[in-house]
Amino acid sequence: MAAHAEAQQSDLLTSPARLRKIDLLRDKNIGKYLPLPQLVAVGDQSSGKSSLLESLTGIPFPRGQELCTRYATQITHRRESETYIGVTVIPGPGASETEKDELEKYHRSVSTTSELHDELPTILEEVNKLMGIRTAQNPDGTKTFSEDVLKIEKCGPNEDYLTVIDVPGIFRITTNNVTTETDKAMVRSMVQKYIRDDQTIILAVLPCVVDIATQEILALAEQYDPTGQRTLGILTKPDLVRETSGKNVVCSLVRGEKRPLNLGYHLVRSRGGDDEGSAFGDDERDVLFKDEPWCMLPPERLGVVALRQRLQHLLGDLTDRAFPKLRSETRQLLNRAQEDFAKLGQSRQTVQEQQQFLVHVASEFQQLVRAGLKADYSSSAVFDDDKFRLITSVLNATDDFKTTFTLSAHTYEFIEEDDEDDEDTADDSAVDRSNSDSDDKEILLRQYPDLDSVIVRELNSDDPIEGILDWIRGIQRHSRGTELISFNPALFSTAVKQQTSKWMAQAEFYVSRIIYIIHDFLISALETVCSARKVREELLSQILDAILARYEDGLRQTRFLVRVEREGQPYTLNDVLYSQLAESQSARAENKLKGELKSVVDSGNHMGRKYTAVSLQAVKSVLRDKDSGKYVVEDVHDLIKSYYQVARDRFIDNVYLQAITHGLISGDTSPLSLFSEQWVLSLEPERLDAIAGESFQTREQRENLTKRIEDLTEAVAILR
C-alpha cells in the first residue's frame, strides 16, 4: 500500500529535477530573455485569488491586508530533507545594480507555516520598504506597484513540486490617495507581460458570483491565447451562489458547454474570512461539492486537492515539452550575445584600456602600411582591393606622370630629324597621352573635401606648340648683342625657362595624385583596422591637420625642385648632354646631306663593284649654304633639346625620390607614419579619452551584454 502511494506520488512529480532547474532560471531572471514554463494566477481584485493560493500552497496570507498585492509573488514547493520556509526577493528586470544588491541580500527563514503566519505581516512590511512601496507603514515609498518578485519557498520531505506565480489583481476604479490611472495601466501591463509567453499556463481566477462575460481577465487571456490552449479557468466562491440559475451557469462552464477552454474550468472553494484556519482543511472545504448540483460534475474538476494535482501535471508536462527547446534557445542566445559583445571590441573605459585598444589599432594600421609599401599582398585579404596596393598604385601613377611629362611638359615641340619616325612617334605619343590623361582624370571623380585646400585637381597636358625654330629666332631678335659668332648667353637661359613653363602645373598634379592615393589608402586602412566609426572620426580629426601639413610639405618640395630647375642658371655635370648634342648635330648634318646632295651624287660600277660618290666640292657647297642666323637658331635648338632632356630626366627622378619616396611614402615626414604606437603612447589622458573612449550608449550596451552573457552562461550550466 505504501509502495503504491509512493508510485502515485512519483507520477505526480513529473520531472522534479527539471522543475527545479526552471525555478533556478526564474531566480536568475532568465525569463526576461526567453519564456519559461510557469503557472500564473491572474484575476480581478476581490476575485478570491489570494484565498485560492493559500488553499493551494498552505501559505497563510494575512487577512484584511493587501500588502502582497503590489507585486508578483512566486510560491514554490520543493522536496527537501530539511523542513523550512524561505522568503527572498527576486529583483525586477529594471532594477539597478545597487537596488539589485540590496534586494538580493534580503532573506528570512521560518520553520513552520504557523510561524510564518505570525511573522508574515512584519516580513511584508520589510519587503515593501525594501522595494520602495508606499504604504501606511512606509509613507516615504515612491512606488505603488513594483516589478520585483517576492519569493516564498516551502521545502520539506513531504512537499510535492509546484510553483505558482501570483500577479496583482486588475482593477477598474482607482482609489483616492492609493492608486492612480498610471497604476492601473501598470498592473494591466504587468499581467500582460506574464501571460503573453506561450510557455505560460494562465490560471484565470473567476468568482462564481459575477457574470463571466464581464471579467476583464478572461478577455485579456483570450487576447494572448485565442484558442484557449493554455488557459485554465478557476471558479471561486461557489458557496456564495444562491440561485439555481446561477449554479447552472457555473456547471455549464465546468462541463464545457459555455465559453469552452481547452484546459476547461475547475471549481474550488477557499477559506473565507470567518473560517478557522486550523479547523478548515481540504476535506472541510470540499464538503460543499457533495451537494447538488456540484456532485453531478466530474470529481477531477472539483476541489483544491484535485486542482493541486492537475497543476502539478500541467507544469510537469509543459516543462518536459519545453525543456529541449529551452536548452537549445538558451545556447543560441548566449552565442548571439557573445558575438554582439565581440563586435564591440576591446573595452575602452579606463585610460589603460583605451591606450591598449588604440595601440593595437595603430599596430595593425602600420602592418598594412608596411605590407602596402613592400607589395606583400598575400599577407591580408584586404589587398584584393586595388586601393590597398599602395606602392603599385604609386608606381603606376609615376609611370603615367613620366609618360605625360615626356610627351607634353615642353612648351614647344622639338624638331626630330627623322620625319617618318617622327610621325610614328607622334601617333604613339597621342595614344599614350590619351590613356595617361584618362587615368589622371580619375582624381576628379572621387572627392575628399579635406584635400581641397591642398591638392591640384586640374592637369595641363596640352600638346606642345609647333614652330620652335621661329620661336627661338624671335627670342634671338629680342636678346641679340654685339657678339659676331656666338649668341647671347641669356638666350639659352630664357629659352629653357619658357620651354619648362608647364613643369609646375604637371608636377603639382602628379604629386596631388600621389597624395590622393595615399589619403585613399590611409582612410581605407583606418576603416579596416577600426570598426568603431566614432573612434575613426575622432582619430582622423586629431591627426588630420598634421597629415595635411605633410601633404603640403610634399607639394612645397616639388615646387622647390621646379624653381631650382627653372630659376637658376641652366647647368649640368652630366656628360650625356654633350653626347646628345653631338648626336643631334651629326644627325642634322647627315639629313642635310641626304636631302640636298641627291642631284650631285655619282654612281656606277668599277671593276665589278658598285659605288656611290659625292664630290668634295658638293659637300662644301651644302655646308656653306647656311647663313649665320640659321646656324645660330639650329645650334640653340640642339643645345636646348639636349639640355632639356637631361634636365627633364633629372627632374622626374628628383621629384619621385625627394617629394614622393622620401617626403610622402617612407621618410620620417611621411603622413603614413603619423598614426603609430609611439604617437598613441604620447597622448594625454584627455585626448586619449576623446579618441578612444566609449560613448554612453556603447558602455550601456557593453554592461547589458556582460550581464546577459553572465546570466545565459549560468542558464546553460543549469540546463545541462
Side-chain angles (χ1 to χ4, degrees), residues 409-619:
H410 44 290
T411 305
Y412 286 88
E413 189 67 77
F414 290 108
I415 294 175
E416 299 294 336
E417 303 307 329
D418 190 338
D419 293 338
E420 184 173 327
D421 292 343
D422 188 28
E423 183 178 354
D424 293 341
T425 302
D427 292 341
D428 294 340
S429 299
V431 173
D432 291 342
R433 185 159 58 251
S434 174
N435 293 336
S436 177
D437 291 352
S438 175
D439 292 338
D440 286 342
K441 288 176 182 176
E442 288 184 8
I443 198 171
L444 304 177
L445 302 179
R446 297 175 291 180
Q447 299 292 320
Y448 282 114
D450 292 329
L451 300 181
D452 287 344
S453 62
V454 179
I455 66 174
V456 175
R457 295 186 182 274
E458 295 182 359
L459 170 65
N460 180 4
S461 59
D462 295 337
D463 291 337
I465 303 169
E466 299 291 339
I468 188 170
L469 294 182
D470 291 338
W471 168 67
I472 294 174
R473 189 174 291 110
I475 295 176
Q476 183 189 25
R477 290 180 63 85
H478 285 85
S479 61
R480 64 187 300 181
T482 58
E483 62 276 357
L484 295 176
I485 299 176
S486 184
F487 54 85
N488 189 340
L491 169 61
F492 177 68
S493 180
T494 300
V496 169
K497 188 170 184 178
Q498 291 190 27
Q499 188 70 331
T500 58
S501 62
K502 292 193 289 184
W503 279 24
M504 183 69 78
Q506 291 205 11
E508 285 181 335
F509 184 85
Y510 160 61
V511 176
S512 294
R513 186 178 177 192
I514 299 300
I515 288 172
Y516 181 90
I517 290 170
I518 292 172
H519 200 69
D520 198 28
F521 173 89
L522 190 150
I523 298 298
S524 301
L526 283 178
E527 291 176 351
T528 299
V529 300
C530 182
S531 60
R533 181 178 57 84
K534 174 202 172 273
V535 176
R536 287 200 312 272
E537 291 176 351
E538 191 61 38
L539 173 61
L540 189 60
S541 175
Q542 292 283 345
I543 64 175
L544 184 60
D545 288 345
I547 289 174
L548 296 179
R550 295 191 177 192
Y551 291 159
E552 290 174 345
D553 285 343
L555 281 166
R556 191 177 299 112
Q557 177 67 16
T558 302
R559 296 180 185 119
F560 168 75
L561 293 173
V562 174
R563 289 195 300 271
V564 167
E565 294 289 348
R566 298 190 69 237
E567 296 177 4
Q569 185 69 28
Y571 191 76
T572 181
L573 298 175
N574 193 337
D575 293 337
V576 173
L577 169 68
Y578 304 105
S579 62
Q580 287 184 348
L581 180 59
E583 184 177 341
S584 295
Q585 292 174 339
S586 298
R588 182 180 300 282
E590 182 180 348
N591 286 337
K592 288 291 183 181
L593 288 172
K594 285 181 180 178
E596 299 185 25
L597 300 181
K598 289 180 180 179
S599 60
V600 294
V601 172
D602 182 22
S603 60
N605 191 315
H606 177 67
M607 298 182 66
R609 293 183 178 182
K610 292 183 179 181
Y611 68 90
T612 300
V614 179
S615 68
L616 181 60
Q617 186 63 31
V619 172

Side-chain angles (χ1 to χ4, degrees), residues 681-694:
L681 294 174
S682 70
L683 289 174
E684 298 176 352
E686 294 77 12
R687 289 185 67 195
L688 186 63
D689 183 66
I691 297 171
E694 291 182 332

